[in-house]
Amino acid sequence: MAESFDAKEHQHVRFNPLKGEWVLVSPHRLKRPWSGQVEKAAEVSIPRHDPKNPLCPRATRANGKVNPDYSSTFLFENDFPALLQEGAPQPGPSGHPLFRAESAVGTCQVMCFHPWSDITLPLMEPSDIRAVIDKWADIITDLGAKYRWVQIFENKGAVMGCSNPHPHCQVWASNFMPNEPQIKDTHQRQYYAEHKVPLLVEYARMEAEKKERIVVENEHWLAVVPYWATWPYETMLLPRSRHILRLTDLTPEERDALADIMKRLLTKYDNLFETSFPYSMGWHGAPTGESLTEDNFHWQLHAMYYPPLLRSATVKKFMVGYEMLALPQRDLTAEQAAEKLHNLPDMHYKQRSDQS
Ligand code: H2U
């Protein structure tokens, strides 16, 4: 008799309905011998306050401005913005469809999470994480009044190209829809037209029911390794059941619950390889600006975490070769990654060693 399909054993491709893309899953490759690196990364000691670090309270930034003596979050205009609000000449018509350019107007900001450089989100108090969430929502209100897309993102760790260890994120707001949210807008719109329920509202309901890919959960939120994840330990944070368009729509209870689930998820991440886990994360919600008055019912707020690490604090996955030229591939299934993260301790490894 032919062997029956087992997702943990047999190669297959999985569909990402948010982006209309496929990922190749090859779990049989996990059986191959591994003789590469497994060592832990050396812990880098970061001073709590460095007067020469331009993100610290009271420090002088590249443009000569002095930061206030902030005690919670601190938002400032990026001194090296990729998008300027005004002053740049328009490209004008190109005269040929193969050489198209459009105007790009926007603004870039940097937001420090905390006055200390030697702290990260999972080690912060829930009330401090709540302050970060409130500030994110304020940013969406302020910049969203003017810009069609406000991208909040955190690049964490030198391996992700983060230039400064001080806990911070960035905000790039633009008058245009960037590629990723544009693709998700299209697919969520199509799904809603066909199924009469927002794609991610339905997805969260199914994940809460199946319980196969949940890393952490609480009354209001779910953190799952998405069925279609490409990065080994990629996760998606999404409202458990309520239909929520933007960060600005979160109730105080939902914000507290978000602080709780972020702390728990990021603690598990750090505990996986006992290192300050690098990642790029960001929020996607319904578009803003002119889109605030348009119908965005097909959208559901969510955050993505894309961590590059594969086997240890020093061995990362490279999206190269077949992945650049054909499609992403993973060995560990989303279910195996979720189980591994789920089973890790809830106490941060740095706090465990403090106690012993
Ligand atoms: P990243 O490490 O994620 O790149 O974030 C640091 C940001 O801080 C970076 O975008 C900005 C950089 O442009 N920055 C300032 O705006 N002023 C400074 O004096 C230093 C860094």
Side-chain angles (χ1 to χ4, degrees):
M1 209 176 73
E3 208 182 342
S4 59
F5 176 75
D6 179 352
K8 292 194 295 298
E9 296 278 338
H10 303 127
Q11 67 209 46
H12 56 285
V13 283
R14 292 190 186 190
F15 185 62
N16 176 347
L18 258 185
K19 293 177 67 181
E21 291 175 351
W22 294 86
V23 52
L24 174 60
V25 186
S26 319
H28 54 282
R29 291 182 84 228
L30 288 168
K31 291 185 184 136
R32 73 195 191 281
W34 168 256
S35 52
Q37 299 158 274
V38 284
E39 78 268 19
K40 279 192 180 182
E43 287 283 342
V44 218
S45 155
I46 298 161
R48 180 154 294 180
H49 180 85
D50 175 0
K52 293 203 183 67
N53 183 336
L55 268 52
C56 280
R58 310 185 299 279
T60 306
R61 297 208 310 275
N63 66 355
K65 285 194 183 148
V66 179
N67 293 337
D69 190 10
Y70 64 91
S71 57
S72 176
T73 61
F74 169 52
L75 184 70
F76 63 93
E77 298 237 338
N78 198 314
D79 301 317
F80 308 98
L83 285 158
L84 295 167
Q85 299 195 53
E86 54 206 19
Q90 306 290 312
S94 77
H96 195 283
L98 291 179
F99 300 94
R100 250 178 87 181
E102 302 278 345
S103 89
V105 176
T107 186
C108 298
Q109 301 185 343
V110 180
M111 171 188 166
C112 299
F113 293 152
H114 195 281
W116 298 353
S117 295
D118 61 344
I119 199 162
T120 54
L121 284 166
L123 293 165
M124 279 164 56
E125 293 297 327
S127 57
D128 291 335
I129 306 175
R130 168 68 198 264
V132 170
I133 294 163
D134 287 340
K135 194 74 189 168
W136 282 340
D138 292 348
I139 291 169
I140 299 291
T141 305
D142 296 345
L143 295 179
K146 181 168 176 189
Y147 293 106
R148 194 166 189 89
W149 191 257
V150 182
Q151 185 59 60
I152 293 173
F153 65 96
E154 180 191 359
N155 247 0
K156 179 167 171 263
V159 72
M160 299 307 292
C162 177
S163 64
N164 196 309
H166 193 94
H168 69 283
C169 70
Q170 295 195 43
V171 187
W172 293 21
S174 59
N175 67 339
F176 56 89
M177 279 287 274
N179 297 345
E180 292 284 311
Q182 182 57 63
I183 291 165
K184 288 186 178 179
D185 182 69
T186 305
H187 287 91
Q188 288 178 101
R189 194 184 291 278
Q190 276 170 5
Y191 189 92
Y192 183 66
E194 270 174 48
H195 302 277
K196 309 288 173 247
V197 56
L199 190 159
L200 286 177
V201 171
E202 175 77 343
Y203 180 63
R205 190 184 67 74
M206 300 283 293
E207 288 289 19
E209 205 177 284
K210 283 180 180 283
K211 299 191 186 306
E212 289 169 0
R213 281 168 293 273
I214 298 176
V215 177
V216 273
E217 59 186 317
N218 63 26
E219 199 190 337
H220 296 287
W221 296 90
L222 282 181
V224 300
V225 177
Y227 178 74
W228 51 80
T230 56
W231 293 96
Y233 294 98
E234 174 179 334
T235 54
M236 180 183 279
L237 197 49
L238 68 175
R240 198 183 177 95
S241 52
R242 201 166 79 84
H243 184 198
I244 301 172
L245 294 188
R246 303 180 181 89
L247 280 166
T248 42
D249 303 328
L250 296 174
T251 64
E253 295 74 41
E254 286 164 343
R255 292 176 189 211
D256 281 341
L258 177 56
D260 164 75
I261 202 161
M262 280 173 57
K263 188 171 170 75
R264 286 164 57 210
L265 172 65
L266 299 179
T267 296
K268 298 234 186 230
Y269 266 166
D270 281 7
N271 284 344
L272 180 63
F273 299 130
E274 300 212 340
T275 194
S276 186
F277 211 60
Y279 56 75
S280 274
M281 73 78 67
W283 284 98
H284 281 177
T288 48
E290 290 157 22
S291 202
L292 285 167
T293 53
E294 293 164 2
D295 181 9
N296 283 297
F297 200 80
H298 53 287
W299 268 93
Q300 171 74 329
L301 175 72
H302 60 286
M304 293 77 44
Y305 286 84
Y306 298 138
L309 295 185
L310 176 65
R311 283 175 199 275
S312 72
T314 54
V315 179
K316 71 188 271 270
K317 176 178 176 64
F318 291 93
M319 286 278 190
V320 295
Y322 185 81
E323 297 170 308
M324 270 186 137
L325 293 151
L327 96 167
Q329 182 273 335
R330 62 181 296 133
D331 298 348
L332 192 73
T333 65
E335 298 72 44
Q336 289 166 325
E339 190 183 350
K340 214 162 163 180
L341 288 170
H342 176 85
N343 290 339
L344 288 164
D346 288 321
M347 186 184 277
H348 196 280
Y349 74 94
K350 282 193 174 161
Q351 288 169 334
R352 282 203 308 273
S353 45
D354 284 354
Q355 283 189 350
S356 56

